[in-house]
């Protein structure tokens, strides 16, 4: 449960009644979606719904009071200027903001999902690298945070980093070949000296690339700062492998 208490705004025609209302989501995790529920006098609820629809949610998302929201969206909306006349107070579920939904994929499905993401980053996101604070940066940052969370469930299945890299290497090579063919124009527009990997990887090369990802994700710090540092570290370590220069030699 993620619940707020709102007070009647002083400017409201109903301010003299000094009635509170409750707004909540029936959720356990911060990324779980649910419909808003309200409790309180109808006129005040109507006013709160109308005002809430003018607020923005997490990362600037629009608020649809008739649709579904996440706790992150509701928290951002309640923190916005437009909701301050209601003096919103979080009365239940502060811990929800710290909890993400556990992944529903099997270990094998997660392995292939990681491989696809890593291949896409190698081809279109990490080379460059993307401009800090751009839309692409924020998108990559969010993807890395989600990956780190899923990584915490997948990684313990492999006792060593080498075993984890071995599990990733074959699907990573397959995914890289697919991505370089699917978005060939993106890959080929990159100057050769900015390409992190060739379009196809030999088995030993795939293991080296997989090992970079394993080591980097294993040591990444939590939060936005940790994900941002991880972007830079991955780019540096992949460049240091020198796979493109080996091919040119």
């Amino acid at each position: 449960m993620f619940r707020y208490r709102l007070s009647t705004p002083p400017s409201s025609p109903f301010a003299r009644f000094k009635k509170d209302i409750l707004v909540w989501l029936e959720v356990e995790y911060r990324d779980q979606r649910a419909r808003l529920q309200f409790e309180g006098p109808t006129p005040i609820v109507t006013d709160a719904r109308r005002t809430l629809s003018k607020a923005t949610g997490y990362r600037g998302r629009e608020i649809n009071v008739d649709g579904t929201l996440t706790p992150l969206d509701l928290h951002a909306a309640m923190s916005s200027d437009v909701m301050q006349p209601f003096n919103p107070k979080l009365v239940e579920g502060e811990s929800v903001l710290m909890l993400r939904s556990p992944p529903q994929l099997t270990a094998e499905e997660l392995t292939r999902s990681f491989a696809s993401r890593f291949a896409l980053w190698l081809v279109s996101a990490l080379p460059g690298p993307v401009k800090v604070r751009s839309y692409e940066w924020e998108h990559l940052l969010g993807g890395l945070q989600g990956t780190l969370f899923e990584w915490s469930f997948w990684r313990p299945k492999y006792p060593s980093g080498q075993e984890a890299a071995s599990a990733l290497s074959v699907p990573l090579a397959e995914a890289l070949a697919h991505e370089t063919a699917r978005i060939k124009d993106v890959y080929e527009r990159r100057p050769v000296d900015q390409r992190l990997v060739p379009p196809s990887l030999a088995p030993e090369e795939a293991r080296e690339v997989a090992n970079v990802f394993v080591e980097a994700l294993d040591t990444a710090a939590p939060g936005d700062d940790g994900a941002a540092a991880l972007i830079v570290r991955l780019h540096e370590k992949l460049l240091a492998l020198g796979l493109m220069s080996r091919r040119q030699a």
Side-chain angles (χ1 to χ4, degrees), residues 146-159:
T147 297
L148 285 167
F149 176 71
E150 292 176 334
W151 190 262
S152 69
F153 288 85
W154 178 85
R155 184 62 179 83
K157 299 180 185 299
Y158 300 93

Side-chain angles (χ1 to χ4, degrees), residues 7-247:
S7 302
T8 309
S11 60
S12 169
F14 307 99
R16 65 186 183 279
F17 298 115
K18 296 182 179 180
K19 295 291 186 180
D20 291 344
I21 66 171
L22 295 174
V23 184
W24 72 93
L25 297 169
E26 292 278 358
V27 293
E28 297 179 64
Y29 307 104
R30 67 179 191 170
D31 53 350
Q32 186 178 352
R33 303 189 72 86
R35 291 189 179 277
L36 279 173
Q37 300 189 56
F38 295 82
E39 179 183 311
T42 300
I44 303 172
V45 167
T46 299
D47 190 21
R49 287 175 64 90
R50 182 172 53 250
T51 305
L52 191 57
S53 69
K54 300 174 184 177
T56 54
Y58 184 61
R59 295 188 184 273
R61 288 196 288 255
E62 292 185 3
I63 294 293
N64 179 2
V65 293
D66 297 315
T68 59
L69 302 177
T70 68
L72 289 174
D73 290 322
L74 185 57
H75 179 65
M78 289 298 183
S79 302
S80 67
D81 290 342
V82 297
M83 290 303 298
Q84 293 317 295
F86 288 89
N87 192 27
K89 300 292 185 185
L90 182 61
V91 295
E92 184 178 357
E94 185 175 358
S95 62
V96 170
L97 292 172
M98 307 301 294
L99 301 174
R100 297 180 63 121
S101 300
Q104 302 298 311
L105 302 178
T106 66
E108 182 178 352
E109 289 170 334
L110 275 175
T111 302
R112 294 205 166 272
S113 177
F114 289 144
S116 294
R117 274 176 260 181
F118 297 165
L120 183 58
W121 295 345
L122 286 167
V123 173
S124 66
L126 287 173
V130 295
K131 186 178 179 181
V132 175
R133 303 309 171 195
S134 64
Y135 171 82
E136 292 80 6
W137 171 275
E138 294 295 336
H139 184 71
L140 179 56
L141 200 66
L144 278 167
Q145 289 175 325
T147 297
L148 285 167
F149 176 71
E150 292 176 334
W151 190 262
S152 69
F153 288 85
W154 178 85
R155 184 62 179 83
K157 299 180 185 299
Y158 300 93
S160 70
Q162 288 300 316
E163 288 175 277
S166 180
L168 279 168
S169 60
V170 172
L172 178 58
E174 293 172 350
L176 180 63
H178 172 75
E179 291 298 335
T180 50
R182 185 180 70 86
I183 48 177
K184 183 178 180 181
D185 58 328
V186 174
Y187 178 78
E188 293 186 347
R189 278 202 307 267
R190 300 281 183 183
V192 173
D193 61 354
Q194 290 184 20
R195 297 178 195 173
L196 299 179
V197 292
S200 62
L201 295 175
E204 186 53 39
E205 292 173 329
R207 186 184 294 272
E208 287 182 88
V209 174
N211 193 58
V212 166
F213 280 101
V214 170
E215 289 183 354
L217 269 68
D218 278 356
T219 57
D224 281 359
D225 289 344
L230 179 56
I231 294 173
V232 176
R233 187 161 67 253
L234 281 170
H235 186 258
E236 291 174 347
K237 287 183 174 293
L238 289 162
L239 272 179
L241 282 182
L243 294 184
M244 291 300 296
S245 59
R246 290 187 213 171
R247 292 293 178 89

